[in-house]
Amino acid sequence: MVHQESSHGIEGHQSYTWAEVQNMSAIKRITVPLFSSHYKTNTTSYCIQKAIQDRAPHEDDEDADIEEEDPKSLNWRAPEPTKTFNMDTFFSLYYIHLQRAAPLLFKKLRQKCFGIDDVEYHEQFRRRLRPVSGLGFSGSLFFFTDDRSLIVKSINRRFEYLFLYEDLINAYGKYMQENKDSTLCRITDVLYSFDHRLGSLLGVSPNHYVVMKNSLDGLDEKKGGKKWDLKPQSFFEPTRDLVPDAMKSEAAKSGLADALDEEIFMTRQQKKELMRIVEEDARFLTNIETIDYSLLVGRYPIDMVDMSELPQPESPVSGMRSSDGKWVYKFCIVDFLWNVKQLHPQVIQVAGKALPEQTVTTEPGRYREEFLK
């Protein structure tokens, strides 16, 4: 079966830079396989790039004062999750009009908190985005920017993006401005569409994406690097605890949280500083009533890291040299969109009462306690 996408298709099995897309004479009508994964990722990549390049009003104005926040402006606050209708995209499987949520808030975070050059940031979205598989168990779409410094991740589940817009964006923006050494992942943009679309209704094309700094940028496992995705091991995990290892698929195994299988070498002062920051971050996540988050730990051989570029003073996010001088460690808390007040998590919590306590059925305070252990 083939499909002729009106003026939005991105040609079959290639990826394009933003400049190439711009020169495609309205991206002629091109016949492509309707469910081609190449077509899906290329079209999605184009829509993401277009959303980043379509700046918000005043965003490019060098005289605009991003210190002056307007709580009534959508440039500063999260959008209202209200469904809309757009005839141009209603019958589209993959093409989508994405918008930037709170663009001036995220610009301020990038510049004032995360140390990201805005010109280079936008330049990354003029280059090819690289689709990635195997980064998670959620079924999300992932893209790396060309230099792998940024990750774009789709938010597929309704309860997660509702929490993102209703509570998280504004709370996160305030918290990160007040806690610049936080280990929470650096969210640099949120892209959304509330348009009714065929692709969204069929579940083949997400409407919501977050852009994040790649917290473990440069980690090469072939050169001795290693990473862990850590969650409390004390909770019941059906796939881990009920399914025999011989019956687990590789996908199921990849979706399980790691157990730390080697010692971490740091000084008492480094550990004290790490725990101070993580405890504060976990307190924030408890206050916004989220659970099931995890701690990414990256371990870099010392010769993989340009020590002259390591920010001073050393920190858990930018990198901490091990006490034995062999490694550099980086830490980052990720996946904090499971809010216990949303309907789906409440249903899971009730249904899970027949089983032992799980990471997705516990309470925020209880999860924080086990996470810090």
Side-chain angles (χ1 to χ4, degrees):
M1 189 173 186
V2 297
H3 173 65
Q4 201 167 39
E5 184 88 8
S6 61
S7 75
H8 305 311
I10 304 241
E11 198 163 352
H13 292 213
Q14 282 183 271
S15 293
Y16 294 91
T17 66
W18 177 254
E20 289 170 332
V21 168
Q22 293 287 71
N23 291 329
M24 275 187 183
S25 62
I27 319 175
K28 304 171 184 176
R29 294 186 177 185
I30 301 164
T31 302
V32 295
L34 181 58
F35 293 107
S36 162
S37 61
H38 293 280
Y39 176 68
K40 175 182 179 178
T41 55
N42 286 335
T43 303
T44 303
S45 173
Y46 164 71
C47 294
I48 292 169
Q49 290 175 283
K50 184 177 185 298
I52 298 293
Q53 295 305 318
D54 289 346
R55 309 289 188 89
H58 309 303
E59 191 185 355
D60 282 329
D61 185 353
E62 294 297 330
D63 296 325
D65 186 357
I66 61 173
E67 300 294 344
E68 296 296 326
E69 299 188 22
D70 178 2
K72 296 181 180 180
S73 169
L74 277 177
N75 288 330
W76 281 106
R77 62 183 175 86
E80 296 289 336
T82 305
K83 281 293 185 180
T84 54
F85 180 82
N86 188 329
M87 191 62 193
D88 188 39
T89 58
F90 181 73
F91 293 103
S92 170
L93 279 182
Y94 306 124
Y95 184 78
I96 180 173
H97 288 308
L98 291 169
Q99 301 180 64
R100 299 170 80 174
L104 292 187
L105 170 61
F106 285 109
K107 180 176 182 178
K108 183 174 183 179
L109 290 178
R110 292 194 302 269
Q111 292 184 352
K112 304 294 185 180
C113 303
F114 305 158
I116 298 175
D117 179 82
D118 221 50
V119 173
E120 176 56 28
Y121 177 77
H122 284 86
E123 185 61 31
Q124 285 298 315
F125 292 92
R126 294 181 180 274
R127 304 171 192 160
R128 184 165 62 101
L129 298 181
R130 302 176 181 272
V132 185
S133 61
L135 280 185
F137 195 53
S138 63
S140 297
L141 287 176
F142 288 90
F143 295 87
F144 276 126
T145 53
D146 190 56
D147 68 354
R148 300 177 69 88
S149 64
L150 299 166
I151 296 174
V152 184
K153 176 187 177 182
S154 68
I155 306 298
N156 298 9
R157 298 184 287 204
R158 185 173 186 270
F159 73 89
E160 290 186 325
Y161 66 71
L162 286 180
F163 171 59
L164 179 66
Y165 303 126
E166 292 173 352
D167 296 293
L168 182 61
I169 285 181
N170 295 331
Y172 174 87
K174 183 175 185 294
Y175 180 79
M176 296 304 283
Q177 290 178 68
E178 296 172 352
N179 298 269
K180 296 181 182 179
D181 57 358
S182 168
T183 57
L184 298 183
C185 67
R186 271 53 178 155
I187 301 174
T188 60
D189 255 313
V190 173
L191 308 177
Y192 72 94
S193 172
F194 295 122
D195 289 347
H196 289 281
R197 287 190 312 115
L198 182 61
S200 177
L201 293 172
L202 294 176
V204 299
S205 175
N207 275 13
H208 308 273
Y209 296 84
V210 293
V211 185
M212 304 169 285
K213 281 190 71 173
N214 181 4
S215 57
L216 301 185
D217 188 21
L219 185 70
D220 190 338
E221 297 187 28
K222 294 179 180 179
K223 296 182 180 179
K226 191 170 182 177
K227 66 179 178 181
W228 296 268
D229 186 348
L230 302 174
K231 286 184 180 179
Q233 296 288 304
S234 54
F235 291 107
F236 175 68
E237 168 51 62
T239 303
R240 181 192 67 210
D241 299 332
L242 295 181
V243 181
D245 286 342
M247 296 178 61
K248 292 174 188 169
S249 67
E250 289 305 312
K253 291 177 183 178
S254 70
L256 295 174
D258 299 320
L260 195 62
D261 56 3
E262 66 180 51
E263 290 182 298
I264 299 293
F265 294 91
M266 57 176 57
T267 66
R268 285 190 175 88
Q269 182 58 37
Q270 285 175 323
K271 179 183 177 182
K272 181 179 178 181
E273 178 67 2
L274 172 65
M275 291 307 299
R276 178 190 70 80
I277 296 171
V278 172
E279 285 175 1
E280 190 64 33
D281 290 341
R283 185 177 298 111
F284 166 73
L285 295 175
T286 302
N287 288 341
I288 61 173
E289 300 185 283
T290 187
I291 56 177
D292 202 38
Y293 44 88
S294 58
L295 181 70
L296 282 184
V297 182
R299 188 210 63 188
Y300 298 70
I302 197 81
D303 57 7
M304 276 183 60
V305 181
D306 185 344
M307 301 306 294
S308 66
E309 295 183 358
L310 197 65
Q312 298 298 322
E314 295 178 9
S315 73
V317 173
S318 62
M320 303 172 71
R321 278 177 283 196
S322 65
S323 57
D324 63 1
K326 295 181 179 179
W327 314 104
V328 169
Y329 299 117
K330 292 184 181 181
F331 302 85
C332 181
I333 295 177
V334 297
D335 295 336
F336 38 84
L337 290 177
W338 193 288
N339 173 254
V340 297
K341 294 302 182 183
Q342 294 291 326
L343 178 60
H344 180 83
Q346 287 184 337
V347 171
I348 294 293
Q349 190 173 48
V350 171
K353 289 189 180 298
L355 296 171
E357 188 178 33
Q358 302 171 61
T359 61
V360 293
T361 62
T362 190
E363 294 295 334
R366 168 86 172 123
Y367 188 84
R368 173 178 176 271
E369 178 184 333
E370 293 302 315
F371 179 80
L372 292 175
K373 287 180 184 179

